[in-house]
Amino acid sequence: MWIGWIEFDLLLGDVQSLKEKRAIVRPILADLSRRTEAAAAEVGSQDLRRRAQLGVSVVGSDAAHIRDVLDRAERLLADDHPEIVLLSARHGLSSSDD
Protein backbone atom coordinates (compact mmCIF):
# COMPACT_ATOMS: atom_id res chain seq x y z
CA MET A 1 0.00 0.00 0.00
CA TRP A 2 1.22 3.49 -0.88
CA ILE A 3 0.17 6.71 0.82
CA GLY A 4 0.83 10.03 -0.88
CA TRP A 5 0.14 13.59 0.14
CA ILE A 6 0.78 17.10 -1.02
CA GLU A 7 0.41 20.30 0.96
CA PHE A 8 -0.09 23.64 -0.78
CA ASP A 9 0.62 27.09 0.61
CA LEU A 10 -1.62 29.59 -1.17
CA LEU A 11 -1.89 33.34 -1.31
CA LEU A 12 -5.45 34.45 -1.96
CA GLY A 13 -6.43 37.60 -3.83
CA ASP A 14 -8.06 40.66 -2.33
CA VAL A 15 -9.86 38.92 0.54
CA GLN A 16 -11.28 41.12 3.30
CA SER A 17 -12.81 38.53 5.63
CA LEU A 18 -12.69 34.88 6.62
CA LYS A 19 -16.14 34.51 5.04
CA GLU A 20 -14.73 35.66 1.69
CA LYS A 21 -11.82 33.26 2.17
CA ARG A 22 -14.22 30.34 2.68
CA ALA A 23 -16.06 31.37 -0.50
CA ILE A 24 -12.79 30.90 -2.42
CA VAL A 25 -11.38 27.86 -0.61
CA ARG A 26 -14.49 25.64 -0.54
CA PRO A 27 -14.95 25.49 -4.35
CA ILE A 28 -11.22 24.83 -4.79
CA LEU A 29 -11.38 21.91 -2.34
CA ALA A 30 -14.46 20.52 -4.08
CA ASP A 31 -12.73 20.83 -7.46
CA LEU A 32 -9.60 19.08 -6.16
CA SER A 33 -11.64 16.22 -4.70
CA ARG A 34 -13.81 15.81 -7.77
CA ARG A 35 -11.07 15.98 -10.40
CA THR A 36 -8.38 13.98 -8.59
CA GLU A 37 -10.65 11.54 -6.71
CA ALA A 38 -8.53 12.17 -3.61
CA ALA A 39 -9.25 13.59 -0.18
CA ALA A 40 -8.74 17.37 0.07
CA ALA A 41 -8.99 19.64 3.10
CA GLU A 42 -7.88 22.98 4.50
CA VAL A 43 -5.08 21.96 6.85
CA GLY A 44 -3.64 25.23 8.15
CA SER A 45 -3.74 29.02 8.26
CA GLN A 46 -7.45 28.98 9.07
CA ASP A 47 -7.22 32.29 10.97
CA LEU A 48 -5.37 34.15 8.19
CA ARG A 49 -7.68 35.69 5.61
CA ARG A 50 -5.24 35.95 2.67
CA ARG A 51 -3.36 32.66 3.18
CA ALA A 52 -4.53 29.07 2.97
CA GLN A 53 -2.88 25.70 3.40
CA LEU A 54 -4.60 22.89 1.56
CA GLY A 55 -3.77 19.22 1.70
CA VAL A 56 -4.55 16.40 -0.72
CA SER A 57 -3.99 12.75 0.14
CA VAL A 58 -4.45 9.50 -1.71
CA VAL A 59 -3.95 5.81 -0.96
CA GLY A 60 -3.32 3.15 -3.58
CA SER A 61 -1.40 0.08 -4.59
CA ASP A 62 0.86 1.74 -7.19
CA ALA A 63 3.35 4.51 -6.38
CA ALA A 64 3.33 5.81 -9.97
CA HIS A 65 -0.44 6.30 -9.84
CA ILE A 66 -0.13 8.16 -6.53
CA ARG A 67 2.48 10.50 -8.03
CA ASP A 68 0.26 11.12 -11.07
CA VAL A 69 -2.70 12.07 -8.86
CA LEU A 70 -0.59 14.46 -6.78
CA ASP A 71 0.97 16.03 -9.87
CA ARG A 72 -2.52 16.49 -11.35
CA ALA A 73 -3.63 18.25 -8.18
CA GLU A 74 -0.67 20.63 -8.36
CA ARG A 75 -1.29 21.42 -12.05
CA LEU A 76 -4.96 21.96 -11.33
CA LEU A 77 -4.20 24.60 -8.70
CA ALA A 78 -1.50 26.30 -10.75
CA ASP A 79 -3.38 26.37 -14.07
CA ASP A 80 -7.11 26.42 -13.35
CA HIS A 81 -7.42 28.83 -10.41
CA PRO A 82 -6.21 32.32 -11.33
CA GLU A 83 -7.74 33.75 -8.13
CA ILE A 84 -4.87 32.26 -6.10
CA VAL A 85 -1.07 32.25 -6.15
CA LEU A 86 0.58 28.91 -5.43
CA LEU A 87 3.49 29.81 -3.14
CA SER A 88 4.78 26.30 -2.46
CA ALA A 89 3.95 22.62 -2.59
CA ARG A 90 5.42 19.87 -0.40
CA HIS A 91 5.08 16.21 -1.40
CA GLY A 92 5.31 13.00 0.54
CA LEU A 93 5.09 9.34 -0.43
CA SER A 94 5.26 6.39 1.93
CA SER A 95 4.87 2.66 1.67
CA SER A 96 3.19 0.52 4.30
CA ASP A 97 6.51 -1.36 4.41
CA ASP A 98 8.34 1.75 5.71
Side-chain angles (χ1 to χ4, degrees):
M1 175 174 67
W2 289 92
I3 303 152
W5 58 268
I6 186 167
E7 184 178 26
F8 301 107
D9 186 13
L10 307 177
L11 178 64
L12 307 177
D14 186 28
V15 175
Q16 300 300 319
S17 69
L18 292 176
K19 186 175 182 179
E20 286 181 34
K21 176 185 177 178
R22 279 193 311 275
I24 294 171
V25 170
R26 280 187 180 168
I28 291 171
L29 290 173
D31 194 30
L32 282 169
S33 287
R34 187 178 82 265
R35 293 177 61 186
T36 63
E37 297 180 355
E42 186 174 5
V43 296
S45 301
Q46 284 95 344
D47 294 338
L48 302 176
R49 60 185 165 86
R50 294 201 60 223
R51 295 289 290 271
Q53 287 182 317
L54 307 183
V56 175
S57 64
V58 63
V59 175
S61 61
D62 182 26
H65 172 70
I66 301 295
R67 281 190 212 98
D68 288 344
V69 170
L70 298 178
D71 289 345
R72 191 173 352 131
E74 188 170 3
R75 282 192 309 274
L76 176 89
L77 275 183
D79 297 341
D80 294 355
H81 291 282
E83 70 274 19
I84 61 154
V85 176
L86 179 58
L87 298 175
S88 69
R90 294 184 327 131
H91 298 255
L93 185 64
S94 299
S95 168
S96 60
D97 297 331
D98 290 348

